[in-house]
Amino acid sequence: KNQVEQSPQSLIILEGKNCTLQCNYTVSPFSNLRWYKQDTGRGPVSLTIMTFSENTKSNGRYTATLDADTKQSSLHITASQLSDSASYICVVSPYSGGGADGLTFGKGTHLIIQP
Amino acid sequence: NAGVTQTPKFQVLKTGQSMTLQCAQDMNHEYMSWYRQDPGMGLRLIHYSVGAGITDQGEVPNGYNVSRSTTEDFPLRLLSAAPSQTSVYFCASSYSPGGYGYTFGSGTRLTVV
């Protein structure tokens, strides 16, 4: 069964510090991996999307890495801000030509930034 | 503003009642989906559509119906609400296969008492 495991479940860090969130997946075949940010009471918003040939992709202070061989991804947040407090969801797609079916969602990491 | 619009934002239903959650997008996306999000669980696919007139079941379709008569709209119908359907529901749309450009609505929080 396709699975996406995220760690840690929750994380509290001080404002200005860096942090790294982990995502391990057992989805096959693999097409792409996305990281989403979900603020409380809002829908998920895309941060990055990577195919199997991409190792690193950045979006401002967010940097995602992908190791397709070990089926691991990480999301690194640099110089955290209070607005980074949110849930971060890892999503893996097995298709390059399908629609919404087949996406596997992780349960998310709940990140809290303290002043 | 372009995007995915969901209504209502909040709803309380009594067990056995029916209702329709509305979802509309103005980006001319072919692919649209409905998910539910429960505490401690990832988003789970209820139903999806790859174009007007075409729908299919996702992971947790029981108790829900959908139809897609236009590209813009993808309503989700609860036939006879049950407490187990208490959840936050998200609609999403995408312009391409594989979900590139995947955009979520802001959600509908449904409570069934």
Side-chain angles (χ1 to χ4, degrees):
Chain A
K1 180 181 178 181
N2 289 338
Q3 286 188 318
V4 174
E5 300 288 341
Q6 291 187 244
S7 61
Q9 281 189 319
S10 60
L11 181 63
I12 302 174
I13 64 172
L14 293 176
E15 184 180 11
K17 298 296 186 181
N18 304 334
C19 67
T20 300
L21 313 181
Q22 300 290 342
C23 173
N24 296 339
Y25 61 93
T26 56
V27 176
S28 182
F30 172 83
S31 174
N32 60 75
L33 183 146
R34 315 104 180 267
W35 283 94
Y36 285 87
K37 178 187 179 188
Q38 185 177 20
D39 293 316
T40 301
R42 307 295 297 273
V45 174
S46 179
L47 293 174
T48 65
I49 181 168
M50 292 183 292
T51 64
F52 70 92
S53 61
E54 297 175 292
N55 300 118
T56 304
K57 183 164 281 189
S58 293
N59 179 358
R61 294 179 296 101
Y62 300 100
T63 299
T65 64
L66 174 64
D67 186 333
D69 291 331
T70 61
K71 299 187 178 181
Q72 296 179 326
S73 176
S74 65
L75 181 69
H76 186 75
I77 304 175
T78 303
S80 61
Q81 300 177 359
L82 297 179
S83 59
D84 293 330
S85 293
S87 288
Y88 292 84
I89 302 171
C90 177
V91 184
V92 180
S93 172
Y95 300 115
S96 60
D101 56 303
L103 293 179
T104 303
F105 289 79
K107 296 179 181 180
T109 292
H110 186 52
L111 177 64
I112 298 173
I113 311 298
Q114 288 186 336
Chain B
N1 293 332
V4 178
T5 302
Q6 291 185 237
T7 56
K9 292 191 181 300
F10 302 94
Q11 183 70 49
V12 178
L13 287 180
K14 293 182 179 179
T15 297
Q17 287 185 317
S18 63
M19 78 160 294
T20 299
L21 308 185
Q22 301 291 344
C23 176
Q25 52 91 10
D26 58 2
M27 298 172 284
N28 203 33
H29 285 178
E30 289 294 329
Y31 301 91
M32 296 187 73
S33 308
W34 275 102
Y35 293 89
R36 59 178 290 172
Q37 187 175 41
D38 301 296
M41 303 187 72
L43 284 146
R44 292 183 294 169
L45 182 66
I46 304 171
H47 285 285
Y48 67 97
S49 169
V50 298
I54 307 171
T55 64
D56 206 345
Q57 295 181 348
E59 179 185 356
V60 288
N62 292 339
Y64 308 95
N65 272 359
V66 293
S67 60
R68 183 101 179 265
S69 57
T70 68
T71 299
E72 294 77 19
D73 300 300
F74 190 42
L76 178 71
R77 298 181 185 84
L78 278 69
L79 308 174
S80 178
S84 61
Q85 293 179 304
T86 294
S87 186
V88 181
Y89 292 84
F90 289 99
C91 178
S93 71
S94 168
Y95 62 78
S96 73
Y100 286 87
Y102 215 43
T103 302
F104 284 87
S106 58
T108 294
R109 183 173 294 274
L110 175 68
T111 302
V112 182
V113 297

